[in-house]
Amino acid sequence: MSKRQLAMVMDLNKCIGCQTCTVACKTQWTNRNGREYMYWNNVETYPGDGYPKKWMELGGGFDAAGDLQPGIIPNIEADYGVPWDYNYESLAEQNLLSDKPEPGFRPDQSPTWGPNWDEDQGDGNFPMDNYFFYLPRICNHCSNPGCLSACPRDAIFKREEDGVVLVDLDRCQGYRYCIAGCPYKKIYFNPKISKSEKCILCFPRIEQGLPPACAQSCVGRIRFVGFLDDEESQVYKLVHKYKVALPLRPDYGTQPNVYYVPPVDTPPKFDENGKIIEGSDRIPMEELEKLFGPAVHDAIKTIKAEREKRKKTGESELMDILIAYQHQDMFRLDHNYYVEVAKKKGMKPLPLVDERYVAGKHTKPSSISHFKVHA
Amino acid sequence: MKRVVTIAAALSLAASFSIAGNVVTAVKVKSLKHLKCGSKLIRKYAKFQKVVVYPQTTVHLNDKKANELNKDAKAKVVEVAAFTDGKNVAIVTRWPDKTKDVYKGYKSDIYPDGFAVQFASDASKPEKLPYIGMGSDGRPVAIYLRKAYGQGVYEPNGNGDVAHQVNEHNTNNFGKNLKKFKKEVKKLGVRPYQKAFVSEGFRSMTEIKDDSANYRTDMHYVKKYHKWGGMVVRPIKDAYAKPAKNEFAVAIAVWDGKELQRDGLKRLSSWIAVKLPGAKNKALEKVVSERVGGDVKKGKELAMTNCASCHRWKGAEMAPMYMAPDLSNIGGQATAAYIKESIVDPNAVVVPGYNRNSHPNFAWYTVDDKGHRTSAMPPFNYLKPQEINDLVAYMQTLKAEVEK
Ligand code: SF4
Ligand code: SF4
């Protein structure tokens, strides 16, 4: 167990599937050298096969007795999909003035699969009861990581100071048991360097006062970031105080630290005559239960009750949090804490680059004396 | 009748002795500088000795497909020979493999064929050889690994060539310049997949990256015979391993890509004595080829009553998985001395061969603050010497069938 745990909450009611987070992550960390196919952050349409294809059926995680389960390693072509590119060069070379110009923009290989391949397909019959929602996924930085347990080389570790799960690339020899062991398939094999790589929760940013790139760039403002032991953080309030943020597939036994506010309001279904069926919900409760466990019932109840309260009294802390007025409130980072950790280890602490989100319980307002955004 | 049976048993013992004699005599040559797999030197002078490599089944790893493929894996016969030029020693091995699987550099779920040669860093106390394959606390091994590669493996992390870490679409290169850039990247990537490690037990294996290990490997596939040949050349003496009285203890591991093998999923020999010219001592030779003449039937009874509640092996599967190392191939991989030591003093070598986080209910050892491991197995030193002998004799019969 790490001393503290950094966590993220994602409010599924607000994700619009714009993939801004995906792009922010991809351009920052995984755009080259064997990482081309990797999406440390991906947003998939649920229900759907997801990314990698049918990840929920590929095993890994723990059984009820706590034993690690065998898993399957996805295939790059079939299950992740090799990222394709376009024939920019031939486009430049071709003679557009000729009588029969070549059809211009072509992918350099036939696409087989990709992140959000089944975009917006969803389930149910249109227009009676069709539905879908977006499910953004990153590594959950689990408290009991399946990837870590599966590694026979001790190459994966959970950072003492904030519970970020990382791969030691010096020790990793590319055995890939971690990929079989992670039930979320959120650890990837880099075939060029023959080592495993995964989401690092943007720890180099966090340490310097910046939220993870996916969270900061999120257009829907669905992502909250903070430490779970920091009672002032909205993450703490959503997860522990109101219990409306739930881990994904808790039945896998890895104790994830990314939490989701389940989709609450879905339109009602229509009957054969096109009439609204009162009190009906398009998203079947069984689906939500499968994803978030039985606690989803209470979470939805709480949110609905708080919304009623807000309507009647104009007041609800939970609603205020979920509206996500300001990034400053949504992200509660702790620069001073990292400074202390670095000092203890005899390392030079990294300078703060942005103080707007630094308010964690170890950081007194007075300890920030400068505010510089790098030019 | 009884007499006939004894003779038959003796004969079969003799037969297995000759195949798993595990003693290799190094041939003296002028120089190993230009030695390669398939060299004329090897064809002409090598004295190959047959050695059996057994499936590694000590721990069960969590790859579903690989486990299915390896469920009934058989042992293989490999051939091992050695050369020396007085300064260096070369271990040459040939092993059958029906399919040639090479590292392709764009797959996540396939593996290349490969092999490794392990040297016990110190062979002077043959009864106390390291845990086979991985070494053990205070008894390190030096491991040389080679994998089959098909095209250049570009490892930007390996040589720190940052300028070439850029995706071709992220460079300013265009047209002809881009072609040049790609060539440059490719050139950087063309290198054999070979690594040297030191290890003192599972999970301690550490790559030697500071150029202090001077070694060379080679590997080639002969389609006609469906066989791989592999070779490791290293100095007779360096910081990682040295001979004792002109003898080395080495072990061979081979991986079959077709069976999705890597890491613990492999076939591994027992210790082999490599005799350099001038080696006269018989101690190592004796230890690596020792067959204990106990009563196998009694040994089996003893094993069933004493061992089978924690250990599993083929034919004794009542113990819960992960409670203790699987003994299915112990007879093929461990020396009699090692088995005996483990029975009377389980703490001498504690195999941390599985991750305690994966199966927290079965802590087969505990670790103190200093990282020292204590086995959960009690010492069975109260057994009579004859009983221990019978037990060891039975354990030596535990091994997979050899592939025809
Ligand atoms: S989500 Fe997967 S990769 Fe991330 S910590 Fe959990 S088990 Fe490991
Ligand atoms: S940026 Fe935000 S709203 Fe857009 S897909 Fe990502 S999580 Fe959803």
Side-chain angles (χ1 to χ4, degrees):
Chain A
M1 262 314 242
S2 46
K3 274 197 212 105
R4 302 185 78 192
Q5 180 66 52
L6 202 57
M8 189 184 285
V9 171
M10 305 193 199
D11 183 354
L12 296 185
N13 295 287
K14 294 189 294 182
C15 179
I16 55 170
C18 62
Q19 307 283 359
T20 309
C21 50
T22 312
V23 174
C25 177
K26 186 126 203 67
T27 49
Q28 179 129 238
W29 302 113
T30 64
N31 66 344
R32 59 198 188 201
N33 281 337
R35 303 182 191 98
E36 290 85 348
Y37 84 93
M38 294 180 197
Y39 286 84
W40 290 358
N41 176 96
N42 76 294
V43 184
E44 54 200 46
T45 300
Y46 192 89
D49 283 341
Y51 165 88
K53 197 194 255 169
K54 299 198 190 298
W55 61 271
M56 282 196 230
E57 292 159 33
L58 298 181
F62 300 86
D63 66 5
D67 283 341
L68 183 71
Q69 296 303 293
I72 292 167
I73 299 163
N75 174 285
I76 291 189
E77 282 98 337
D79 302 323
Y80 296 105
V82 177
W84 61 94
D85 218 309
Y86 292 94
N87 57 337
Y88 305 110
E89 272 192 79
S90 61
L91 201 61
E93 278 161 17
Q94 72 186 252
N95 182 0
L96 294 171
L97 298 176
S98 81
D99 289 344
K100 288 183 209 148
E102 290 259 299
F105 218 36
R106 274 174 289 118
D108 61 352
Q109 53 190 305
S110 318
T112 48
W113 195 256
N116 210 14
W117 183 261
D118 32 24
E119 183 166 359
D120 296 4
Q121 253 168 250
D123 206 355
N125 303 316
F126 181 81
M128 326 283 277
D129 58 2
N130 61 308
Y131 74 97
F132 67 77
F133 56 90
Y134 298 109
L135 186 62
R137 302 199 303 123
I138 62 169
C139 162
N140 297 297
H141 298 276
C142 307
S143 292
N144 181 31
C147 58
L148 183 150
S149 289
C151 176
R153 274 189 60 85
D154 273 348
I156 299 182
F157 62 101
K158 200 167 162 60
R159 286 219 302 191
E160 266 285 287
E161 58 262 40
D162 55 11
V164 171
V165 175
L166 298 172
V167 181
D168 178 342
L169 288 183
D170 270 343
R171 291 203 56 75
C172 176
Q173 291 295 330
Y175 298 155
R176 286 159 262 182
Y177 293 107
C178 52
I179 301 170
C182 170
Y184 303 95
K185 298 293 168 266
K186 271 295 167 195
I187 181 157
Y188 300 89
F189 176 63
N190 183 328
K192 289 232 174 115
I193 61 171
S194 192
K195 287 169 196 292
S196 288
E197 296 185 300
K198 62 183 288 302
C199 157
I200 56 174
L201 205 54
C202 285
F203 77 84
R205 293 172 56 100
I206 299 249
E207 285 177 13
Q208 285 182 273
L210 287 164
C214 58
Q216 194 173 22
S217 66
C218 176
V219 183
R221 298 167 90 89
I222 79 156
R223 302 186 184 222
F224 302 82
V225 180
F227 287 87
L228 280 177
D229 65 346
D230 188 346
E231 296 183 12
E232 294 300 308
S233 74
Q234 299 199 335
V235 159
Y236 173 88
K237 288 180 183 164
L238 291 167
V239 174
H240 290 310
K241 187 169 172 194
Y242 292 101
K243 299 190 173 34
V244 294
L246 308 166
L248 182 63
R249 294 302 305 252
D251 52 317
Y252 287 145
T254 59
Q255 301 162 21
N257 287 305
V258 170
Y259 299 83
Y260 294 86
V261 179
V264 176
D265 260 331
T266 55
K269 297 180 195 172
F270 300 145
D271 65 13
E272 300 90 78
N273 307 320
K275 285 235 175 71
I276 286 171
I277 305 174
E278 286 300 337
S280 61
D281 252 330
R282 283 189 183 225
I283 303 181
M285 223 32 213
E286 310 84 73
E287 288 287 352
L288 295 182
E289 219 176 288
K290 178 181 161 197
L291 291 181
F292 306 110
V296 74
H297 294 275
D298 281 343
I300 291 178
K301 236 188 252 160
T302 307
I303 295 171
K304 286 192 171 160
E306 284 288 324
R307 199 172 45 192
E308 278 311 301
K309 192 175 132 199
R310 172 61 157 253
K311 264 192 203 157
K312 288 200 183 105
T313 66
E315 262 169 42
S316 162
E317 185 191 31
L318 180 60
M319 286 302 120
D320 279 341
I321 294 174
L322 290 178
I323 287 168
Y325 290 107
Q326 302 228 36
H327 269 168
Q328 270 100 322
D329 304 326
M330 297 165 67
F331 310 137
R332 224 172 117 88
L333 309 181
D334 217 342
H335 180 66
N336 201 47
Y337 171 65
Y338 285 107
V339 170
E340 291 303 318
V341 170
K343 272 194 199 143
K344 252 186 226 141
K345 287 186 181 166
M347 296 182 327
K348 223 172 122 203
L350 292 165
L352 187 65
V353 299
D354 191 337
E355 75 166 5
R356 285 174 293 171
Y357 315 117
V358 181
K361 71 174 188 180
H362 292 256
T363 306
K364 292 173 206 77
S366 61
S367 63
I368 303 169
S369 57
H370 60 287
F371 174 43
K372 277 186 223 112
V373 176
H374 281 266
Chain B
M1 187 62 201
K2 200 172 168 229
R3 228 182 104 83
V4 179
V5 173
T6 342
I7 291 172
L11 275 178
S12 73
L13 259 186
S16 63
F17 187 87
S18 78
I19 198 171
N22 284 3
V23 181
V24 173
T25 309
V27 175
K28 175 96 205 256
V29 294
K30 244 209 202 120
S31 164
L32 292 173
K33 225 186 209 153
H34 304 292
L35 190 73
K36 279 179 103 181
C37 270
S39 287
K40 215 164 144 198
L41 194 76
I42 296 178
R43 288 203 302 274
K44 228 171 150 185
Y45 299 107
K47 282 195 203 146
F48 279 101
Q49 168 72 42
K50 287 196 165 109
V51 167
V52 186
V53 288
Y54 293 92
Q56 245 282 24
T57 42
T58 321
V59 286
H60 201 69
L61 292 156
N62 67 318
D63 182 333
K64 205 168 177 181
K65 278 189 196 160
N67 288 346
E68 274 158 24
L69 284 169
N70 289 281
K71 213 169 97 219
D72 296 308
K74 291 193 173 144
K76 276 186 184 188
V77 177
V78 310
E79 294 164 283
V80 184
F83 288 100
T84 178
D85 60 2
K87 278 204 187 82
N88 304 292
V89 57
I91 308 290
V92 181
T93 166
R94 302 197 288 226
W95 70 98
D97 188 333
K98 288 192 191 96
T99 52
K100 181 184 176 188
D101 305 290
V102 298
Y103 187 84
K104 291 232 183 65
Y106 220 93
K107 295 274 190 249
S108 50
D109 56 350
I110 68 152
Y111 299 88
D113 298 329
F115 80 104
V117 180
Q118 292 121 27
F119 286 72
S121 79
D122 176 9
S124 63
K125 285 191 212 97
E127 298 79 24
K128 299 268 178 203
L129 281 173
Y131 178 73
I132 185 71
M134 264 296 146
S136 38
D137 251 357
R139 306 183 196 176
V141 292
I143 303 174
Y144 304 89
L145 167 74
R146 168 87 185 212
K147 286 190 193 170
Y149 71 104
Q151 65 210 42
V153 183
Y154 177 44
E155 288 199 54
N157 283 357
N159 61 10
D161 191 327
V162 180
H164 289 88
Q165 291 202 14
V166 181
N167 181 298
E168 60 185 65
H169 300 296
N170 282 15
T171 71
N172 295 328
N173 294 303
F174 197 67
K176 268 190 196 134
N177 281 337
L178 185 62
K179 276 196 192 118
K180 242 202 220 150
F181 176 83
K182 281 191 198 166
K183 245 193 211 155
E184 183 69 25
V185 170
K186 205 166 169 194
K187 207 168 77 204
L188 281 164
V190 179
R191 58 158 113 172
Y193 194 117
Q194 57 176 22
K195 288 176 179 182
F197 301 89
V198 276
S199 179
E200 284 193 71
F202 283 104
R203 334 201 83 209
S204 71
M205 192 163 94
T206 304
E207 194 181 341
I208 305 167
K209 283 184 157 180
D210 59 358
D211 290 331
S212 59
N214 175 19
Y215 71 102
R216 181 160 71 78
T217 69
D218 192 22
M219 188 171 178
H220 85 156
Y221 192 71
V222 186
K223 224 169 151 193
K224 200 165 130 202
Y225 303 117
H226 297 292
K227 266 188 183 181
W228 276 105
M231 177 199 90
V232 169
V233 186
R234 51 152 275 142
I236 287 184
K237 216 161 116 188
D238 69 3
Y240 302 103
K242 58 178 192 312
K245 299 183 181 128
N246 289 323
E247 288 177 331
F248 276 115
V250 306
I252 307 287
V254 300
W255 286 267
D256 187 346
K258 185 79 192 268
E259 293 174 12
L260 303 185
Q261 292 185 345
R262 79 283 195 192
D263 173 45
L265 281 171
K266 66 183 169 206
R267 287 184 179 79
L268 177 65
S269 75
S270 182
W271 284 114
I272 303 162
V274 174
K275 300 176 92 64
L276 298 174
K280 294 218 173 61
N281 202 321
K282 294 262 179 214
L284 178 62
E285 198 174 311
K286 220 180 118 212
V287 167
V288 299
S289 4
E290 184 185 0
R291 310 288 313 178
V292 170
D295 185 329
V296 171
K297 214 174 138 234
K298 271 197 195 138
K300 183 171 180 181
E301 276 163 26
L302 282 164
M304 284 310 200
T305 43
N306 289 294
C307 318
S309 49
C310 296
H311 290 281
R312 294 164 71 102
W313 60 90
K314 254 211 169 106
E317 265 119 22
M318 33 302 185
M321 292 262 255
Y322 314 113
M323 188 96 166
D326 187 302
L327 302 180
S328 294
N329 281 286
I330 185 134
Q333 282 153 350
T335 60
Y338 173 79
I339 301 176
K340 200 175 287 175
E341 180 188 52
S342 302
I343 294 171
V344 296
D345 181 11
N347 287 329
V349 173
V350 182
V351 181
Y354 84 125
N355 188 319
R356 298 171 75 227
N357 296 321
S358 346
H359 310 289
N361 301 324
F362 304 111
W364 79 37
Y365 59 92
T366 51
V367 191
D368 67 15
D369 297 345
K370 288 186 191 115
H372 194 82
R373 290 184 292 269
T374 306
S375 175
M377 173 173 151
F380 284 75
N381 48 6
Y382 54 82
L383 292 175
K384 292 192 202 91
Q386 186 52 48
E387 289 178 320
I388 292 175
N389 254 5
D390 296 345
L391 207 44
V392 176
Y394 173 61
M395 294 286 169
Q396 286 204 300
T397 68
L398 298 181
K399 49 191 176 185
E401 203 182 309
V402 178
E403 197 173 78
K404 291 273 144 42

